[in-house]
Amino acid sequence: QLVESGGGLVQTGGSLRLSCAASGRSISRYPMGWFRQAPEKEREFVATISWSGGATDYGNNVKGRFTISRDNAKNTVHLQMSSLKPEDTAVYYCAARSTSYTSRSSRAEEYDWWGQGTQVTVSS
């Protein structure tokens, strides 16, 4: 399973670091992604990282503020979020494209292994 952690309540301009820990199988061969969903909104792409960690992509709304990283030895993925805004408030999901060595993607439908999500709330 994928288990997200690190969510919480933070003030505007603050920072949070989300973690996604995989258990049961290795994610070292899989590209990983972070998505978010705010109430009554569509799920939104946040960031993705290649299986090697050598390439990343970000949604336009978070580019320059968020950083995705991974530690394949620890079977974890992280999302460092800085300069947080109230519009970043959402449930954040970690996801894996569980096909070995496939390409990263910004499309949620291309991910087949999801965590349960962690709530991030940014107060104004």
Side-chain angles (χ1 to χ4, degrees), residues 82-93:
S82 303
S83 302
L84 284 162
K85 307 174 182 179
E87 50 264 44
D88 294 319
T89 295
V91 177
Y92 283 71
Y93 298 91

Side-chain angles (χ1 to χ4, degrees), residues 9-113:
L9 175 65
V10 64
Q11 291 186 331
T12 296
S15 299
L16 281 175
R17 186 178 190 238
L18 304 184
S19 295
C20 172
S23 61
R25 53 176 158 160
S26 172
I27 59 170
S28 64
R29 302 182 303 276
Y30 304 154
M32 300 294 294
W34 284 96
F35 295 80
R36 67 187 183 186
Q37 189 165 19
E40 301 180 342
K41 291 191 175 181
E42 298 285 325
R43 189 163 294 193
E44 178 187 14
F45 165 69
V46 175
T48 183
I49 188 166
S50 62
W51 63 270
S52 67
T56 57
D57 290 305
Y58 296 92
N60 289 333
N61 290 335
V62 307
K63 202 170 294 184
R65 299 187 297 122
F66 291 9
T67 302
I68 188 172
S69 62
R70 66 189 301 158
D71 185 339
N72 283 342
K74 295 183 178 179
N75 226 23
T76 57
V77 178
H78 303 285
L79 185 69
Q80 178 67 47
M81 306 186 296
S82 303
S83 302
L84 284 162
K85 307 174 182 179
E87 50 264 44
D88 294 319
T89 295
V91 177
Y92 283 71
Y93 298 91
C94 169
R97 290 192 78 191
S98 60
T99 300
S100 295
Y101 309 120
T102 192
S103 59
R104 65 194 186 279
S105 173
S106 62
R107 300 176 63 185
E109 60 268 30
E110 295 186 349
Y111 289 79
D112 56 355
W113 187 15

